[in-house]
Amino acid sequence: MKKMAKIFPLFCLGLVFLLGDIAAVQAEPTEVVVRARAKDAKFIGSSIGGASVRIRDAESGTILAEGITSGSTGNTDIIMRQPHSRYQEIGEGAAAFRAELDIEEPVFVTVEVLAPYIKKQARVLATTQTWLVPGKSIDGDGLVIEIPGMVVDILSPQTHRYTTMAEAPFEIRANVVMMCGCPITDGGLWDGSKMEVAALVKKDGKAYRTIPLAMTDTDNTFAASLAPEEPGVYELRVYAFDERTGNTGVDRVSFIVRE
């Protein structure tokens, strides 16, 4: 009995240490907020299909969380017009992806953002990496990933359209917006009159001509005429470029002109 009396306290002490070790490795909920912000513009949210976010364990490649940013593009005055101070949050109410991860120890993660998700010809993959520590959330504005570029959609001519020389000249018409869907207007906050929009035209696979597009009376819309001199297979690559920021977007289409 005396021997048992000596062993029991040792057993209890060992149990305390064991329970302490178990408690130490219990997973803790850790919130991560990810936002995608269009370069020189606002946040990418529901109005343009959101940004696809994927958080991976950088070592194993295991996906820890994934989803789509949702919400508005944010407050225009705060984001675009007012000066920002250090630690100031500018994304309040703006589109975000929120994940709560249960992690037991620090994890080095890769965060992948594909945006704008539904605009396949325009979307950009941007990535960053960071450490996540159990119980230490990255909230507020969170991780803000910049998405460069512009969304260009050729409205006319239509893809693979068959037409004839008698129908020439043909209208080239394109819609251009920022990556968040923010509008481009003549003299506006995103001033289309200071952007370069043009069509690079190929005929039968060879460079044919470059045609500048001008802003129309409709927001986001640029247009010009193409008067081909002979039949052929024509390919258009319409680009938008803002030399002040380096933002660039491209869309392309092909059509056939017969006699």
Side-chain angles (χ1 to χ4, degrees):
M1 288 295 294
K2 288 182 179 180
K3 187 175 181 181
M4 288 292 295
K6 290 180 180 179
I7 292 174
F8 185 72
L10 292 175
F11 171 77
C12 292
L13 184 60
L15 184 62
V16 168
F17 282 118
L18 178 61
L19 293 175
D21 287 342
I22 293 174
V25 298
Q26 282 183 339
E28 291 190 61
T30 306
E31 185 181 22
V32 183
V33 176
V34 181
R35 301 181 197 269
R37 183 181 174 185
K39 183 174 181 177
D40 189 42
K42 298 166 67 181
F43 293 95
I44 298 172
S46 303
S47 62
I48 199 165
S52 173
V53 178
R54 183 170 288 170
I55 302 174
R56 295 180 182 271
D57 182 314
E59 185 173 347
S60 68
T62 302
I63 297 174
L64 304 178
E66 61 183 338
I68 302 289
T69 63
S70 62
S72 75
T73 57
N75 186 305
T76 303
D77 284 338
I78 292 175
I79 298 169
M80 300 303 304
R81 294 191 176 99
Q82 298 175 7
H84 304 151
S85 60
R86 189 180 183 186
Y87 307 125
Q88 177 185 349
E89 293 184 14
I90 64 171
E92 183 178 357
F97 168 70
R98 301 175 186 276
E100 188 174 279
L101 307 179
D102 290 327
I103 54 177
E104 299 175 352
E105 59 185 9
V107 180
F108 191 57
V109 298
T110 298
V111 181
E112 305 169 352
V113 177
L114 188 64
Y117 186 63
I118 65 172
K119 303 303 292 184
K120 188 173 182 179
Q121 88 284 6
R123 65 191 183 189
V124 168
L125 175 64
T127 65
T128 192
Q129 293 183 309
T130 188
W131 280 99
L132 298 180
V133 176
K136 308 301 180 183
S137 296
I138 301 177
D139 50 18
D141 277 358
L143 291 172
V144 178
I145 313 299
E146 183 177 82
I147 305 295
M150 288 184 276
V151 180
V152 178
D153 288 302
I154 296 176
L155 307 177
S156 177
Q158 295 176 332
T159 299
H160 210 262
R161 176 188 174 189
Y162 280 83
T163 186
T164 65
M165 290 293 294
E167 296 178 68
F170 307 106
E171 182 184 48
I172 302 172
R173 196 172 185 87
N175 188 81
V176 183
V177 296
M178 304 303 288
M179 294 293 258
C180 53
C182 297
I184 294 174
T185 59
D186 188 0
L189 182 58
W190 295 277
D191 190 350
S193 66
K194 295 181 180 178
M195 298 179 185
E196 179 183 333
V197 181
L200 304 175
V201 185
K202 285 185 176 182
K203 176 185 172 295
D204 299 327
K206 296 181 180 180
Y208 183 62
R209 64 180 65 160
T210 299
I211 302 175
L213 275 64
M215 283 213 75
T216 69
D217 293 335
T218 303
D219 291 354
N220 311 316
T221 308
F222 296 77
S225 292
L226 168 61
E229 297 166 352
E230 54 185 343
V233 177
Y234 288 83
E235 179 185 339
L236 304 180
R237 297 193 183 203
V238 175
Y239 71 84
F241 175 69
D242 188 342
E243 66 176 359
R244 297 165 299 177
T245 62
N247 263 345
T248 310
V250 176
D251 193 16
R252 57 187 177 180
V253 68
S254 62
F255 67 103
I256 298 92
V257 180
R258 293 172 169 171
E259 284 287 359

